[in-house]
Amino acid sequence: KTSFKSLKYFTLSPSFNYSERWYQNSIEKQWLNEQLITDTVAGFERAFDYNFSLSMKTKIYGMLKFKKSKIKAIRHVMTPSVSVSYNPDFSKSQFGFYKNVQIDSLGNTQDYSIFQNGIYGSPSGSESGRVNFGLSNILEMKVKTKNDTAETTKKVKLLEAFNFNTSYNLLADSLNLSIINLSGRTKLFNKFDITFNGSYDPYVKNEEGVRINKFYFDDNYVLGRLTNSSAS
């Protein structure tokens, strides 16, 4: 992982992560005599995974000045960031980490990881290509103060942090947008620390509480809710 300046105002950070672990055994499943048999196979097996990412961020400054006020200025610092990451699908046959086995007399099959009992887990069995978005904010002001000799200024932080982040999976069949997370912190009178956080799910849930591929603020969905409410 490294970082470097691009176009003077942007910081680019490419990254490549590789993880490898060795297990003393693996598992083998087979459908035999009308039942699913799971065997432990002795012998060292190597499991590995890797991913790529590229992130970019910058800082944007805004200043509001006051001439005739105890408050001299309010400054807003925004740090937007965007990153792209890719995780391969390690369930593909060329890796040999996942196998397929018959699971019932009807001939249904199921994929399984040969490392599913491993304490360090299995390589990921799904491919993802995500675009991650983030925005952090700092809000502070300068105020006039008086002492015995001269008038000075001091810095007061209104918001030490206010952040939000989300991501979009380009390779998913549905529910591409992840939950939007919000968080922040500030301090009152330099004594009381206040933190807050929240999350927003942009997708609708069905009657069973399962997310479905429909945005909550989709026009048809909102219109349908209003119509149902009026009818009842």
Side-chain angles (χ1 to χ4, degrees):
K1 182 177 181 178
T2 186
S3 62
F4 55 89
K5 291 287 185 180
S6 176
L7 303 176
K8 188 178 180 179
Y9 300 107
F10 298 93
T11 301
L12 292 178
S13 300
S15 176
F16 172 75
N17 300 300
Y18 178 85
S19 175
E20 180 174 308
R21 51 268 192 203
W22 286 81
Y23 290 114
Q24 294 182 352
N25 53 61
S26 58
I27 66 168
E28 181 79 25
K29 295 185 177 183
Q30 57 181 326
W31 180 256
L32 187 63
N33 297 327
E34 294 299 310
Q35 60 179 332
L36 183 61
I37 304 297
T38 301
D39 294 320
T40 300
V41 181
F44 284 102
E45 289 284 353
R46 179 175 70 115
F48 65 87
D49 51 29
Y50 52 84
N51 60 73
F52 311 87
S53 67
L54 176 65
S55 63
M56 180 179 68
K57 67 178 181 179
T58 188
K59 286 186 180 292
I60 302 173
Y61 299 89
M63 181 78 75
L64 181 62
K65 295 184 178 181
F66 302 90
K67 291 184 177 180
K68 297 179 180 181
S69 173
K70 186 177 180 180
I71 300 174
K72 295 198 66 177
I74 294 178
R75 190 175 77 152
H76 183 198
V77 182
M78 293 184 292
T79 307
S81 63
V82 61
S83 66
V84 180
S85 61
Y86 174 70
N87 295 273
D89 179 3
F90 291 98
S91 68
K92 293 182 177 180
S93 59
Q94 62 261 35
F95 295 107
F97 300 150
Y98 288 78
K99 295 183 178 181
N100 188 268
V101 63
Q102 181 178 339
I103 58 173
D104 58 32
S105 57
L106 298 177
N108 293 313
T109 62
Q110 184 180 72
D111 290 334
Y112 72 94
S113 168
I114 65 173
F115 305 114
Q116 70 180 40
N117 294 335
I119 60 175
Y120 299 109
S122 304
S124 172
S126 61
E127 183 181 34
S128 69
R130 292 186 176 275
V131 181
N132 307 291
F133 306 95
L135 178 65
S136 63
N137 300 269
I138 298 174
L139 190 64
E140 56 191 13
M141 67 179 179
K142 284 186 177 180
V143 297
K144 297 177 182 178
T145 60
K146 290 185 179 181
N147 55 31
D148 295 337
T149 57
E151 187 178 83
T152 59
T153 61
K154 70 175 181 178
K155 185 184 297 184
V156 178
K157 287 191 175 182
L158 303 176
L159 273 177
E160 294 188 5
F162 179 61
N163 312 311
F164 90 88
N165 61 79
T166 188
S167 64
Y168 189 89
N169 190 348
L170 298 171
L171 302 180
D173 295 330
S174 61
L175 303 175
N176 305 76
L177 187 63
S178 69
I179 291 176
I180 301 170
N181 296 299
L182 304 171
S183 65
R185 71 176 185 274
T186 188
K187 180 177 287 189
L188 292 179
F189 313 113
N190 289 323
K191 293 182 179 180
F192 304 102
D193 290 315
I194 298 176
T195 60
F196 55 91
N197 57 74
S199 60
Y200 170 70
D201 189 346
Y203 292 104
V204 177
K205 292 182 179 180
N206 61 19
E207 296 178 354
E208 288 76 31
V210 178
R211 302 169 82 211
I212 59 176
N213 197 40
K214 183 183 293 292
F215 287 112
Y216 189 81
F217 285 105
D218 179 79
D219 291 339
N220 293 328
Y221 175 72
V222 173
L223 180 60
R225 292 195 65 187
L226 292 174
T227 302
N228 292 334
S229 298
S230 300
S232 60

